[in-house]
Amino acid sequence: MEIQENYTGHVRPGGDAARRRLDALTITKISVGRMDNNAYLLTCRRTGDALLVDAADEPERLTDLLGHDQDRPRLRTIVTTHRHPDHWQALGSIAGQTGSYTVAHPEDAEPLPVPPDREVEHGDNIQVGESALEVIHLRGHTPGSIALLYRDPVGHPHLFTGDSLFPGGVGKTGSPEDFRSLIDDVENRVFGVLPDDTWFYPGHGDDSTLGTERPKLAEWRARGW
């Protein structure tokens, strides 16, 4: 597998992965499975410890992201952003191969093929080597949907949103009440506290920034999806 170093946020099913190098972390994005799911490997550049956001599918391609050299990253943690099956098809396989511990919100834990080793709530932190990710609970797409926020001390924030926020709108919801819950949380817990240069990484498709999407919030709320 090739890994493109010129990161744009665009990957395609069956195609190359893309890597973004920050001061303390690298972020490697890949598309896997029939539903074009994004998975993200975050690696601490100082310790070599790694975290996988959504072991969605194609376990062989996901493990290939770790490489085969002696100094390859050590996958310590797998976080599942929400309960929908297209986001955890490879969870059991990857966790079994690597011995990494698994993380999810308790309200989405029951359907997962591997019971979470750790259940996290809004405001908790998850370590990736020497860096921390903040858990943001975004209620509505599923009861336990979470996003992960990395506050780069020398750059802009990076937010992994699962299926709760995409370029062009919030994630799919099953009722007007769920939509209101999700749009409220996205407005209050994401747009209300994070700057426009926050780069976000969704569960499917291309990335975007909060500044690009912010002018559309009123339109999203008015249309109801």
Side-chain angles (χ1 to χ4, degrees):
M1 178 194 302
E2 294 292 329
I3 297 180
Q4 301 298 322
E5 298 287 346
N6 182 23
Y7 189 87
T8 65
H10 178 74
V11 292
R12 59 181 180 82
D16 295 339
R19 177 170 293 149
R20 182 174 210 167
R21 296 183 183 273
L22 309 180
D23 182 65
L25 290 178
T26 63
I27 300 168
T28 308
K29 178 178 182 177
I30 189 172
S31 171
V32 294
R34 295 181 299 104
M35 297 183 69
D36 188 12
N37 282 76
N38 295 327
Y40 300 93
L41 182 71
L42 280 57
T43 304
C44 175
R45 299 184 67 178
R46 296 179 176 88
T47 68
D49 290 342
L51 175 148
L52 182 65
V53 181
D54 284 343
D57 210 334
E58 297 187 81
E60 299 85 359
R61 295 184 71 221
L62 292 178
T63 53
D64 279 350
L65 293 180
L66 298 170
H68 305 282
D69 299 331
Q70 281 194 326
D71 60 349
R72 65 185 179 274
R74 296 173 297 276
L75 185 60
R76 303 292 195 192
T77 310
I78 305 171
V79 180
T80 303
T81 59
H82 64 287
R83 65 169 66 172
H84 288 158
D86 58 309
H87 289 262
W88 50 254
Q89 290 299 303
L91 178 59
S93 176
I94 300 292
Q97 288 180 51
T98 62
S100 49
Y101 74 93
T102 61
V103 179
H105 191 278
E107 292 191 61
D108 273 15
E110 191 276 330
L112 302 182
V114 177
D117 297 306
R118 180 186 175 193
E119 295 181 346
V120 290
E121 301 280 357
H122 180 69
D124 286 348
N125 284 334
I126 303 170
Q127 287 297 128
V128 190
E130 296 181 359
S131 297
L133 304 176
E134 179 184 333
V135 175
I136 302 176
H137 188 194
L138 300 174
R139 300 157 290 188
H141 181 64
T142 65
S145 289
I146 58 174
L148 302 174
L149 173 64
Y150 173 57
R151 299 180 186 269
D152 188 348
V154 297
H156 55 76
H158 299 260
L159 181 66
F160 302 85
T161 59
D163 283 1
S164 291
L165 176 64
F166 295 96
V170 297
K172 183 179 179 180
T173 54
S175 70
E177 293 75 22
D178 287 343
F179 170 75
R180 286 193 293 271
S181 175
L182 181 55
I183 194 73
D184 285 348
D185 276 357
V186 165
E187 284 194 348
N188 295 328
R189 296 181 172 186
V190 175
F191 286 92
V193 295
L194 295 174
D196 282 351
D197 62 357
T198 302
W199 187 286
F200 73 88
Y201 306 77
H204 306 264
D206 293 349
D207 307 347
S208 186
T209 65
L210 295 188
T212 300
E213 307 303 321
R214 191 183 300 275
K216 309 168 190 174
L217 281 169
E219 174 190 338
W220 299 351
R221 185 178 286 275
R223 76 189 182 191
W225 56 272

